[in-house]
Amino acid sequence: QACSQQDAHTHTKTLLIKSEQLLRIEEHDFAMRPGFGGAAIPVGIDVQVESIDSISEVNMDFTMTLYLRHYWKDERLSFPSRTNQSRTFDSRLVKKIWVPDVFFVHSKRSFIHDTTMENIMLRVYPDGNILYSVRVTVTALCSMDFSSFPLDTQNCSLELESYAYNENDLMLYWKNGNDSLRTDEIVLSQFFIEHFHASSGLAFYSSTGWYNRLFINFILRRHIFFFMLQTYFPTMLMVVLSWVSFWIDRRAVPARVSLGMTTVLTMSTIITGVSSSMPQVSYVKAVDIYLWTSFLFVFLSVIEYAAVNYCTTLEEMRKMRRGKIPSTFDASQAMAFDGCFHDNDIELTTFTRMAPTLTSNPLTTPTQSSDIRAPEGTRLRRQRSVRENVDLLVNNSYMIDSYSRLAFPLSYLLFNTIYWSLYS
């Protein structure tokens, strides 16, 4: 068995030597590009995207595995053939000939797969046309805009360019136009790929000149359902839960304070969890607007009870000073389950209705005074001042809860309508 493996290795080495002799590799200087000193050599590019392995919002990059194929013509490698059949080689021969030095612009990491052998294929045709294919995985930068996150759409691109040869030496182009970019069926967990398309352009460097650059562009639209389950629905539930305190009696201080603090702390946890999985950008994201506005609603529900409790305390202190509440009165005995405080044992101050009067002009005669009297059946009403309105709320603090039961849900519903209409 050892002898057979040695014979196979010797046979392969013999074929390789014969191939090098057939292609006359030792007769040419492959450190120079084909047609050196003449027109730029055209190099066609063909890409098949195998997969998009990951997309990172924190690092603002993506990882893609693809088959990168190069097409060019090198007459130095032409060989006679009766059947006009091409010859295929692996990476061992690639190191001995000239190949385009294409690299990925803005790439962070990249490598050629080497299991079980280097994934490199070289195919040479008798007329000198060459196909050079590699299977490579690259991690490249994608400048993302998170102003609409998580209702956003991201435009990313993978850029290819020759490193050493500018447009005067090498002309990089898509071999088959838009058909040069093909993709397998790609399914991502958080994104839906809307569109893949190829484009080209020029890049300028002050020290070396203009270079041909090819772009692999793709548009990613984020799936919203994951964030609805993880962020939006829990946030909505916390806001609604904070409204429960409006139906709890205003004298149940431990119940309302603990409920308010629980919702505030839960909202803080949700905001911290979302922020930890996002890059530290200097602008406001759509999810930030929703979370902080919801946090404001929860916080205001706590402030609302603070106002109710304060007004209730003032109301009791005033009645104590007026002698309306006995010193032995237990306020906890007057708690009502409907959220309103009914003081059945307390005599409320009654306000006597003041009859409207008109002051007559002293210069008018009695006959003229009788003509100026107000029409029968009409009343003159004086508009209450701000202080009187405040006193009315202080004397009837249960009204704050009553108004909040309607104002908070309507305001939050209006906010959600505006938010989803703007970002959806």
Side-chain angles (χ1 to χ4, degrees):
Q1 185 179 1
C3 295
S4 61
Q5 291 179 354
Q6 185 177 2
D7 293 340
H9 178 71
T10 304
H11 180 67
T12 303
K13 185 176 180 180
T14 303
L15 289 177
L16 182 60
I17 294 175
K18 291 183 178 179
S19 298
E20 292 180 3
Q21 293 175 352
L22 178 66
L23 299 176
R24 305 187 306 278
I25 291 178
E26 299 297 334
E27 299 179 9
H28 302 283
D29 183 9
F30 285 98
M32 310 297 293
R33 69 170 180 87
F36 177 75
I41 176 175
V43 177
I45 296 295
D46 181 301
V47 171
Q48 180 174 346
V49 179
E50 180 182 356
S51 64
I52 297 179
D53 304 317
S54 64
I55 298 174
S56 174
E57 290 89 355
V58 177
N59 299 322
M60 285 194 181
D61 59 26
F62 64 92
T63 302
M64 177 185 293
T65 299
L66 52 89
Y67 296 94
L68 178 61
R69 304 184 181 98
H70 311 69
Y71 301 86
W72 76 94
K73 186 174 183 179
D74 191 346
E75 295 182 352
R76 297 173 296 183
L77 296 177
S78 60
F79 60 91
S81 176
R82 296 179 181 179
T83 58
N84 200 30
Q85 289 183 348
S86 62
R87 296 219 174 184
T88 303
F89 307 95
D90 57 19
S91 60
R92 289 173 292 180
L93 186 64
V94 171
K95 300 175 182 178
K96 298 184 178 182
I97 66 172
W98 181 90
V99 294
D101 58 340
V102 175
F103 79 104
F104 298 100
V105 185
H106 305 308
S107 66
K108 298 180 178 180
R109 296 173 299 276
S110 62
F111 63 91
I112 298 176
H113 291 259
D114 55 1
T115 307
T116 57
M117 291 285 292
E118 282 189 305
N119 297 170
I120 296 176
M121 185 267 290
L122 181 71
R123 182 171 295 169
V124 182
Y125 293 88
D127 59 354
N129 283 309
I130 299 174
L131 165 61
Y132 171 55
S133 176
V134 294
R135 181 170 176 258
V136 59
T137 293
V138 57
T139 300
L141 175 68
C142 178
S143 298
M144 301 181 183
D145 181 14
F146 297 107
S147 58
S148 298
F149 178 89
L151 305 167
D152 56 335
T153 300
Q154 302 295 342
N155 297 319
C156 297
S157 63
L158 184 62
E159 304 173 12
L160 295 85
E161 183 182 307
S162 173
Y163 189 83
Y165 300 99
N166 59 25
E167 64 173 352
N168 297 323
D169 292 321
L170 190 146
M171 183 182 67
L172 209 61
Y173 69 98
W174 291 110
K175 181 173 176 58
N176 300 313
N178 290 330
D179 295 333
S180 301
L181 179 60
R182 294 183 294 272
T183 61
D184 296 338
E185 185 177 356
I186 301 176
V187 179
L188 301 176
S189 59
Q190 291 191 25
F191 291 92
F192 171 75
I193 302 177
E194 289 190 342
H195 185 53
F196 257 107
H197 67 279
S199 61
S200 59
L202 290 173
F204 177 74
Y205 299 92
S206 59
S207 57
T208 53
W210 293 90
Y211 290 78
N212 294 112
R213 181 175 292 184
L214 304 181
F215 301 87
I216 303 174
N217 305 296
F218 54 98
I219 301 175
L220 301 171
R221 180 167 54 85
R222 196 182 304 273
H223 293 304
I224 186 60
F225 188 70
F226 171 80
F227 295 94
M228 292 296 295
L229 292 178
Q230 298 295 324
T231 303
Y232 285 99
F233 285 160
T235 301
M236 293 177 185
L237 291 178
M238 287 300 104
V239 175
V240 174
L241 182 61
S242 67
W243 300 341
V244 175
S245 64
F246 302 150
W247 274 265
I248 300 177
D249 190 87
R250 56 198 170 110
R251 298 189 184 277
V253 177
R256 295 190 66 162
V257 170
S258 60
L259 179 60
M261 295 308 299
T262 300
T263 53
V264 167
L265 293 176
T266 304
M267 283 299 305
S268 301
T269 303
I270 295 176
I271 294 174
T272 303
V274 173
S275 301
S276 62
S277 61
M278 292 297 299
Q280 304 301 318
V281 295
S282 59
Y283 50 85
V284 179
K285 303 181 289 294
V287 69
D288 294 335
I289 296 176
Y290 194 90
L291 290 177
W292 282 104
T293 304
S294 300
F295 182 84
L296 179 62
F297 273 92
V298 173
F299 181 75
L300 288 178
S301 68
V302 178
I303 299 300
E304 185 269 349
Y305 177 63
V308 170
N309 188 270
Y310 178 73
C311 293
T312 303
T313 304
L314 288 181
E315 181 183 359
E316 293 179 356
M317 291 177 63
R318 288 182 180 180
K319 291 178 180 180
M320 289 285 290
R321 285 196 298 265
R322 295 173 184 174
K324 298 295 184 180
I325 301 180
S327 58
T328 60
F329 177 73
D330 187 5
S332 62
Q333 296 177 357
M335 292 172 56
F337 293 100
D338 59 354
C340 300
F341 185 73
H342 301 286
D343 298 321
N344 296 328
D345 300 331
I346 302 174
E347 181 184 356
L348 299 178
T349 305
T350 58
F351 297 91
T352 58
R353 178 175 297 177
M354 299 179 62
T357 58
L358 289 175
T359 304
S360 60
N361 192 337
L363 298 179
T364 58
T365 61
T367 306
Q368 292 173 335
S369 175
S370 61
D371 295 338
I372 308 177
R373 280 182 297 178
E376 187 177 356
T378 62
R379 295 180 180 178
L380 298 178
R381 295 182 180 179
R382 182 174 61 86
Q383 185 177 4
R384 288 195 297 263
S385 64
V386 176
R387 181 179 180 83
E388 291 176 337
N389 288 327
V390 173
D391 290 339
L392 179 63
L393 284 178
V394 171
N395 294 328
N396 303 275
S397 56
Y398 67 90
M399 294 175 58
I400 302 177
D401 277 342
S402 301
Y403 291 146
S404 298
R405 294 170 190 172
L406 184 62
F408 273 73
L410 289 180
S411 301
Y412 196 65
L413 180 62
L414 177 62
F415 162 70
N416 275 273
T417 303
I418 297 174
Y419 179 87
W420 293 108
S421 60
L422 287 177
Y423 289 102
S424 296

